[in-house]
Tab-separated table of all heavy atoms in Angstrom:
chain	number	residue	atom	x	y	z
A	599	VAL	N	23.485	-12.644	2.073
A	599	VAL	CA	23.604	-11.831	3.246
A	599	VAL	C	22.345	-11.049	3.424
A	599	VAL	O	21.708	-10.617	2.485
A	599	VAL	CB	24.849	-10.867	3.188
A	599	VAL	CG1	24.641	-9.843	2.027
A	599	VAL	CG2	25.132	-10.202	4.451
A	600	CYS	N	21.992	-10.797	4.729
A	600	CYS	CA	20.882	-9.909	5.040
A	600	CYS	C	21.265	-9.070	6.194
A	600	CYS	O	22.378	-9.230	6.680
A	600	CYS	CB	19.566	-10.776	5.433
A	600	CYS	SG	19.843	-11.780	6.877
A	601	GLU	N	20.424	-8.138	6.580
A	601	GLU	CA	20.809	-7.155	7.502
A	601	GLU	C	21.168	-7.755	8.804
A	601	GLU	O	22.104	-7.318	9.478
A	601	GLU	CB	19.655	-6.194	7.607
A	601	GLU	CG	20.003	-4.909	8.408
A	601	GLU	CD	18.857	-4.063	8.754
A	601	GLU	OE1	17.776	-4.095	8.015
A	601	GLU	OE2	18.896	-3.301	9.747
A	602	LEU	N	20.473	-8.859	9.122
A	602	LEU	CA	20.718	-9.545	10.459
A	602	LEU	C	22.127	-10.005	10.465
A	602	LEU	O	22.804	-9.958	11.552
A	602	LEU	CB	19.751	-10.672	10.633
A	602	LEU	CG	18.401	-10.247	11.075
A	602	LEU	CD1	17.460	-11.459	11.122
A	602	LEU	CD2	18.420	-9.524	12.386
A	603	ASP	N	22.639	-10.511	9.390
A	603	ASP	CA	24.016	-11.036	9.318
A	603	ASP	C	24.945	-9.906	9.765
A	603	ASP	O	25.973	-10.101	10.571
A	603	ASP	CB	24.412	-11.492	7.935
A	603	ASP	CG	23.751	-12.833	7.625
A	603	ASP	OD1	23.567	-13.658	8.515
A	603	ASP	OD2	23.266	-13.006	6.357
A	604	ILE	N	24.641	-8.752	9.186
A	604	ILE	CA	25.609	-7.676	9.427
A	604	ILE	C	25.553	-7.219	10.906
A	604	ILE	O	26.445	-6.797	11.534
A	604	ILE	CB	25.365	-6.483	8.445
A	604	ILE	CG1	25.804	-7.024	7.115
A	604	ILE	CG2	26.081	-5.255	8.795
A	604	ILE	CD1	25.363	-6.026	5.902
A	605	ILE	N	24.226	-7.203	11.412
A	605	ILE	CA	24.055	-6.794	12.758
A	605	ILE	C	24.866	-7.750	13.781
A	605	ILE	O	25.519	-7.282	14.711
A	605	ILE	CB	22.603	-6.865	13.188
A	605	ILE	CG1	21.818	-5.748	12.386
A	605	ILE	CG2	22.319	-6.591	14.647
A	605	ILE	CD1	20.301	-5.913	12.487
A	606	PHE	N	24.826	-9.014	13.528
A	606	PHE	CA	25.335	-10.006	14.460
A	606	PHE	C	26.822	-10.203	14.180
A	606	PHE	O	27.502	-10.739	15.096
A	606	PHE	CB	24.573	-11.254	14.420
A	606	PHE	CG	23.194	-11.230	15.028
A	606	PHE	CD1	22.066	-11.474	14.253
A	606	PHE	CD2	23.081	-10.734	16.352
A	606	PHE	CE1	20.780	-11.345	14.891
A	606	PHE	CE2	21.788	-10.549	16.848
A	606	PHE	CZ	20.712	-10.831	16.112
A	607	ASN	N	27.249	-10.041	12.917
A	607	ASN	CA	28.698	-10.207	12.691
A	607	ASN	C	29.246	-8.950	12.148
A	607	ASN	O	29.934	-8.981	11.075
A	607	ASN	CB	28.808	-11.375	11.580
A	607	ASN	CG	28.195	-12.693	12.130
A	607	ASN	OD1	28.598	-13.293	13.054
A	607	ASN	ND2	27.095	-13.170	11.428
A	608	PHE	N	29.030	-7.880	12.854
A	608	PHE	CA	29.506	-6.652	12.361
A	608	PHE	C	31.094	-6.623	12.227
A	608	PHE	O	31.591	-6.023	11.391
A	608	PHE	CB	29.066	-5.459	13.211
A	608	PHE	CG	29.502	-5.535	14.647
A	608	PHE	CD1	30.619	-4.838	14.975
A	608	PHE	CD2	28.798	-6.193	15.640
A	608	PHE	CE1	31.154	-4.830	16.308
A	608	PHE	CE2	29.318	-6.270	16.933
A	608	PHE	CZ	30.377	-5.579	17.220
A	609	GLU	N	31.776	-7.344	13.171
A	609	GLU	CA	33.263	-7.306	13.074
A	609	GLU	C	33.696	-7.904	11.745
A	609	GLU	O	34.651	-7.405	11.088
A	609	GLU	CB	33.847	-8.005	14.276
A	609	GLU	CG	33.867	-9.436	14.351
A	609	GLU	CD	32.499	-10.113	14.687
A	609	GLU	OE1	31.580	-9.356	14.859
A	609	GLU	OE2	32.452	-11.281	14.815
A	610	LYS	N	33.053	-8.964	11.331
A	610	LYS	CA	33.406	-9.554	10.019
A	610	LYS	C	33.201	-8.534	8.921
A	610	LYS	O	33.973	-8.437	8.010
A	610	LYS	CB	32.514	-10.796	9.698
A	610	LYS	CG	32.748	-11.904	10.769
A	610	LYS	CD	34.017	-12.670	10.499
A	610	LYS	CE	34.062	-13.903	11.449
A	610	LYS	NZ	35.357	-13.927	12.130
A	611	ALA	N	32.041	-7.870	8.973
A	611	ALA	CA	31.729	-6.878	7.961
A	611	ALA	C	32.816	-5.767	7.972
A	611	ALA	O	33.274	-5.371	6.899
A	611	ALA	CB	30.396	-6.211	8.184
A	612	TYR	N	33.322	-5.410	9.127
A	612	TYR	CA	34.374	-4.465	9.221
A	612	TYR	C	35.665	-4.992	8.628
A	612	TYR	O	36.351	-4.275	7.843
A	612	TYR	CB	34.621	-4.067	10.676
A	612	TYR	CG	33.755	-2.942	11.150
A	612	TYR	CD1	32.908	-3.152	12.218
A	612	TYR	CD2	33.749	-1.681	10.529
A	612	TYR	CE1	32.057	-2.058	12.680
A	612	TYR	CE2	32.985	-0.642	10.957
A	612	TYR	CZ	32.046	-0.871	12.014
A	612	TYR	OH	31.265	0.142	12.511
A	613	PHE	N	35.923	-6.264	8.925
A	613	PHE	CA	37.178	-6.852	8.387
A	613	PHE	C	37.091	-6.920	6.840
A	613	PHE	O	38.112	-6.548	6.253
A	613	PHE	CB	37.357	-8.333	8.906
A	613	PHE	CG	37.604	-8.419	10.336
A	613	PHE	CD1	37.212	-9.599	11.077
A	613	PHE	CD2	38.119	-7.449	11.076
A	613	PHE	CE1	37.484	-9.685	12.397
A	613	PHE	CE2	38.402	-7.490	12.379
A	613	PHE	CZ	38.037	-8.645	13.159
A	614	ILE	N	35.998	-7.230	6.323
A	614	ILE	CA	35.862	-7.316	4.910
A	614	ILE	C	36.042	-5.940	4.301
A	614	ILE	O	36.792	-5.724	3.290
A	614	ILE	CB	34.579	-7.910	4.475
A	614	ILE	CG1	34.424	-9.370	4.928
A	614	ILE	CG2	34.373	-7.766	2.927
A	614	ILE	CD1	33.060	-9.991	4.748
A	615	LEU	N	35.488	-4.934	4.948
A	615	LEU	CA	35.576	-3.547	4.495
A	615	LEU	C	37.037	-3.087	4.498
A	615	LEU	O	37.553	-2.473	3.629
A	615	LEU	CB	34.685	-2.662	5.284
A	615	LEU	CG	34.681	-1.208	4.853
A	615	LEU	CD1	34.074	-1.115	3.448
A	615	LEU	CD2	33.750	-0.475	5.838
A	616	ASP	N	37.769	-3.498	5.577
A	616	ASP	CA	39.201	-3.139	5.712
A	616	ASP	C	40.036	-3.817	4.657
A	616	ASP	O	40.974	-3.261	4.221
A	616	ASP	CB	39.655	-3.526	7.116
A	616	ASP	CG	39.167	-2.565	8.091
A	616	ASP	OD1	38.700	-1.502	7.797
A	616	ASP	OD2	39.122	-2.911	9.307
A	617	GLU	N	39.663	-4.994	4.189
A	617	GLU	CA	40.353	-5.624	3.094
A	617	GLU	C	40.140	-4.957	1.840
A	617	GLU	O	40.988	-4.829	0.967
A	617	GLU	CB	39.901	-7.077	2.993
A	617	GLU	CG	40.311	-8.014	4.177
A	617	GLU	CD	41.825	-8.213	4.201
A	617	GLU	OE1	42.533	-8.154	3.167
A	617	GLU	OE2	42.404	-8.476	5.334
A	618	LEU	N	38.904	-4.397	1.697
A	618	LEU	CA	38.557	-3.782	0.394
A	618	LEU	C	39.081	-2.310	0.284
A	618	LEU	O	39.533	-1.923	-0.691
A	618	LEU	CB	36.986	-3.797	0.257
A	618	LEU	CG	36.405	-3.344	-1.021
A	618	LEU	CD1	36.688	-4.347	-2.101
A	618	LEU	CD2	34.867	-3.142	-0.851
A	619	LEU	N	38.958	-1.608	1.414
A	619	LEU	CA	39.258	-0.253	1.391
A	619	LEU	C	40.275	0.093	2.424
A	619	LEU	O	40.145	-0.386	3.532
A	619	LEU	CB	37.987	0.654	1.698
A	619	LEU	CG	36.910	0.834	0.652
A	619	LEU	CD1	35.681	1.392	1.297
A	619	LEU	CD2	37.305	1.608	-0.494
A	620	VAL	N	41.313	0.899	2.022
A	620	VAL	CA	42.221	1.292	3.076
A	620	VAL	C	42.373	2.804	2.874
A	620	VAL	O	42.650	3.238	1.802
A	620	VAL	CB	43.651	0.570	2.882
A	620	VAL	CG1	44.649	1.295	3.768
A	620	VAL	CG2	43.495	-0.784	3.278
Side-chain angles (χ1 to χ4, degrees):
Chain A
V599 68
C600 63
E601 195 189 332
L602 283 175
D603 289 323
I604 292 172
I605 294 169
F606 291 120
N607 302 296
F608 62 92
E609 76 284 2
K610 299 279 187 229
Y612 275 121
F613 293 155
I614 295 170
L615 185 60
D616 286 341
E617 291 291 334
L618 186 71
L619 286 167
V620 169

